[in-house]
Amino acid sequence: MDALEVNDIATILVVDDMPDNLILMSHLLKGTYRVKVAASGEKALKIASLNPPPDLILLDIMMPLMDGYEVCRQLKRNTNTMNIPVIFLTAMSEMEDELKGLELGAVDYITKPVSPPIVMARVKNYLALKRMDDFLHNQNEFLEREVAKRTQEVIVVQDVTILAMASLAETRDTDTGNHIRRTQRYVKALALQLRDHPRFAWFLTDANINMLFKSAPLHDIGKVGIPDRILLKPGRLDPSEFEIMKTHTTLGHDAIMHAENMLGCSVEFLSMAKSIALSHQEKWDGSGYPQGLSGDEIPIAARLMAVADVYDALISRRVYKEGMTHEKAIEIMQEGRASHFDADVLDAFIEIQEEFRAIAQRFADIDKDVLTQTGIIPCLKPAETFATGLASAAPLTPSTSTGT
Amino acid sequence: MDKLHLAEKPTILLVDDTPDNLTLMSNLLRSAYKVKIASCGEKALKIASSDQPPDLILLDIMMPGMDGYEVCRQLKREPGTMNIPVIFLTARAEMEDEQKGLELGAVDYITKPISPPIVMPA
């Protein structure tokens, strides 16, 4: 057992009320071990609770006042002493006594008069067992810490990758990455609101809510494949351009799928990202795109994303439109209840609309619009006053079909 | 020891030339362990060196032909069996005998008649 080699000599505590027995046992043991002795149960408990504790206790049963059973019981009750192996030393050798002692947590019995080779053999065995046990325990703790550390690293890499990918898509059509931050927080807020709802509770576990939050930024990743002349067009898209714009859903889905295929295995959060990218433009009544899914066919993650995305699109200023007020956005979205949006998801949104407003304000674009529309009037800098003048075009499509 | 939770029950090899002792011991052990038995030293060595060696051997000393000491000596000489813990079961309780057995590499001694509570946790 090289791994367990210890320089320290093990300490054995011998407990017996008979001085002769203490002398006999310590003579036997002291050539190999450090020996401590206790002439009563009380003293034994005191020595056992010192730091460092003994490595093993040889415990007489028949003692006045506190007997060996009681000492053992108290040792096993205290977390500091419960792992010290106890061997009973006894003149009694009734089977029931032995069973009682072992049930109290002792590891073995040695019958008096003791046989020195047996005492030495048992002590050696139980010390070896204890060391092995401690070694495994330390090893497990070490491994658990190591796993936690590596897991944390993997999570960080994952987060950075998602944000980098999402930012690529984002920077093409807005000035800041705040749309990503807002929508992922709207989605999380909605998920938390709906987690106890009978229709959604099965899906909205802690793990899935976390995954939703992380994968939400990838919902528009497919926009990297949309030509600038369409993505950045400062006006209404014509039908053929709109058809191209719609492909951002399948482009995003396919990009993530290719990544998955290259990895050769499916990763949970990528599956969720894929379904959000593909289906966040679907509508409850089946009039959305790209697959025209309806009702519960639309993945829950995508239904939450639809509400978050539309709200953000409505209140945000784009190259082709002004942002709306929070109140106006709510009014328009209400019209889409059970047609555009899952009614329960929309109701949850209405219930926590103040939270949406707060998120919008906290992660406002560096631009006066979102702030003014949501009720906060920031100090205007000269540059921002100019910016407003440029954004006067009408919304891309009527009512709720904004937020491509 | 939960940490070492084994999927399979450990196997104990019982070696004794007295059928009554084999019966007694296997009745005691078989609810918690898989028990193999050998009624002589030669058989014990054969079972111990098989493809599925036992996890522990309870070995009687006084046996006709090959005695327990010799079985232990041979077990400890073979790389395939040297790491199997051996506990001697003996009617004798002479200190020199115990010393001899432990020096041969046995981990412990249990004196017959055995005490069931002591055999079980060993």
Side-chain angles (χ1 to χ4, degrees):
Chain A
M1 292 200 293
D2 283 337
L4 300 180
E5 203 121 67
V6 269
N7 299 324
D8 279 339
I9 299 173
T11 302
I12 314 289
L13 171 60
V14 183
V15 189
D16 204 311
D17 61 314
M18 309 280 278
D20 285 355
N21 286 341
L22 288 179
I23 293 168
L24 175 85
M25 293 299 283
S26 50
H27 272 280
L28 175 60
L29 295 165
K30 75 181 177 193
T32 319
Y33 305 105
R34 187 178 295 131
V35 180
K36 290 185 178 179
V37 294
S40 71
E42 290 81 358
K43 260 197 193 151
L45 289 174
K46 215 169 146 188
I47 295 174
S49 58
L50 292 176
N51 196 18
D55 297 289
L56 187 138
I57 300 174
L58 291 171
L59 181 57
D60 184 34
I61 292 180
M62 296 284 276
M63 293 187 291
L65 300 173
M66 191 187 291
D67 69 4
Y69 294 133
E70 183 54 30
V71 176
C72 186
R73 207 173 279 125
Q74 296 204 22
L75 286 169
K76 296 298 162 191
R77 211 157 34 205
N78 185 328
T79 46
N80 293 324
T81 56
M82 66 191 299
N83 291 320
I84 308 170
V86 172
I87 298 178
F88 276 124
L89 289 173
T90 177
M92 306 191 239
S93 67
E94 294 296 313
M95 201 196 289
E96 301 91 79
D97 294 331
E98 290 171 347
L99 189 53
K100 179 178 173 187
L102 296 171
E103 278 172 356
L104 283 177
V107 291
D108 209 344
Y109 256 81
I110 297 178
T111 310
K112 293 195 275 191
V114 300
S115 154
I118 293 294
V119 171
M120 296 308 280
R122 299 254 168 107
V123 167
K124 186 177 129 206
N125 289 342
Y126 287 109
L127 285 174
L129 192 60
K130 172 75 170 21
R131 275 175 192 160
M132 188 67 91
D133 222 28
D134 291 348
F135 174 74
L136 284 177
H137 186 74
N138 292 340
Q139 194 76 356
N140 283 347
E141 278 181 358
F142 169 76
L143 289 175
E144 273 163 26
R145 276 199 305 275
E146 203 60 12
V147 167
K149 200 175 98 190
R150 299 286 163 86
T151 308
Q152 189 54 39
E153 283 170 11
V154 169
I155 291 171
V156 169
V157 169
Q158 188 177 304
D159 291 355
V160 166
T161 310
I162 297 171
L163 284 178
M165 285 167 70
S167 301
L168 275 178
E170 185 76 6
T171 47
R172 297 246 347 268
D173 66 337
T174 58
D175 294 336
T176 70
N178 278 353
H179 170 65
I180 292 175
R181 295 192 185 89
R182 290 190 301 266
T183 47
Q184 77 174 160
R185 281 165 178 81
Y186 298 147
V187 165
K188 186 178 179 181
L190 271 178
L192 291 174
Q193 179 68 12
L194 286 165
R195 66 185 313 168
D196 295 322
H197 192 287
R199 284 182 59 218
F200 306 104
W202 65 273
F203 177 75
L204 296 174
T205 58
D206 284 351
N208 272 355
I209 291 174
N210 187 38
M211 227 176 318
L212 258 174
F213 181 76
K214 286 189 177 186
S215 49
L218 295 177
H219 70 280
D220 274 344
I221 183 94
K223 282 188 178 173
V224 293
I226 304 298
D228 281 353
R229 64 178 171 83
I230 294 170
L231 189 67
L232 304 178
K233 186 179 179 186
R236 186 182 284 270
L237 297 179
D238 65 38
S240 66
E241 289 167 336
F242 192 54
E243 284 308 307
I244 293 170
M245 183 56 124
K246 280 156 94 173
T247 63
H248 83 275
T249 51
T250 46
L251 287 173
H253 169 269
D254 294 351
I256 299 169
M257 194 174 64
H258 284 147
E260 266 188 321
N261 289 345
M262 283 193 278
L263 285 175
C265 66
S266 89
V267 181
E268 265 185 292
F269 91 86
L270 284 181
S271 301
M272 194 174 287
K274 205 167 55 178
S275 79
I276 292 175
L278 183 67
S279 306
H280 71 281
Q281 294 291 351
E282 300 288 0
K283 294 183 185 176
W284 185 252
D285 61 8
S287 66
Y289 61 86
Q291 292 170 293
L293 300 179
S294 64
D296 287 327
E297 287 174 341
I298 307 166
I300 292 173
R303 279 180 255 160
L304 301 189
M305 192 68 224
V307 169
D309 198 29
V310 169
Y311 172 78
D312 202 62
L314 290 174
I315 63 159
S316 299
R317 184 178 61 78
R318 293 287 161 87
V319 283
Y320 50 80
K321 72 168 185 77
E322 275 294 347
M324 270 173 205
T325 61
H326 172 81
E327 288 70 21
K328 180 71 182 160
I330 295 282
E331 195 188 314
I332 288 176
M333 288 175 72
Q334 283 274 31
E335 289 166 19
R337 185 179 186 277
S339 54
H340 186 158
F341 307 110
D342 181 323
D344 289 331
V345 176
L346 191 81
D347 291 347
F349 160 68
I350 300 298
E351 280 164 40
I352 58 164
Q353 54 167 297
E354 286 312 314
E355 215 173 314
F356 271 62
R357 191 204 293 263
I359 292 166
Q361 287 167 355
R362 184 165 160 228
F363 297 94
D365 291 320
I366 311 300
D367 173 318
K368 85 172 178 79
D369 291 46
V370 173
L371 299 173
T372 50
Q373 304 311 342
T374 52
I376 284 187
I377 310 294
C379 302
L380 289 183
K381 293 176 200 153
E384 286 168 338
T385 341
F386 286 118
T388 350
L390 297 171
S392 53
L396 166 64
T397 44
S399 86
T400 56
S401 40
T402 40
T404 39
Chain B
M1 292 212 292
D2 284 333
K3 274 172 267 171
L4 298 179
H5 219 59
L6 300 168
E8 276 179 64
K9 283 183 180 179
T11 302
I12 314 277
L13 171 60
L14 283 176
V15 189
D16 203 311
D17 61 315
T18 316
D20 282 355
N21 286 341
L22 289 178
T23 311
L24 174 86
M25 291 295 282
S26 58
N27 280 344
L28 172 62
L29 294 166
R30 72 179 172 204
S31 61
Y33 307 101
K34 206 160 137 194
V35 179
K36 291 185 179 178
I37 55 175
S39 57
C40 68
E42 289 81 359
K43 260 193 197 159
L45 289 174
K46 211 170 149 189
I47 294 174
S49 58
S50 70
D51 288 342
Q52 289 162 314
D55 297 290
L56 186 138
I57 300 175
L58 290 172
L59 181 58
D60 185 33
I61 293 180
M62 295 283 276
M63 294 187 290
M66 190 188 293
D67 71 3
Y69 294 132
E70 184 53 29
V71 175
C72 186
R73 205 175 281 122
Q74 296 205 21
L75 286 169
K76 295 300 162 188
R77 208 153 45 201
E78 288 302 315
T81 56
M82 66 191 301
N83 291 319
I84 306 170
V86 172
I87 297 178
F88 277 124
L89 286 175
T90 176
R92 304 194 230 179
E94 294 296 314
M95 204 197 293
E96 302 90 80
D97 294 333
E98 290 172 350
Q99 190 66 50
K100 180 177 173 187
L102 294 170
E103 278 169 5
L104 282 176
V107 291
D108 205 349
Y109 255 78
I110 295 177
T111 310
K112 293 192 277 191
I114 59 108
S115 157
I118 295 291
V119 176
M120 286 306 281

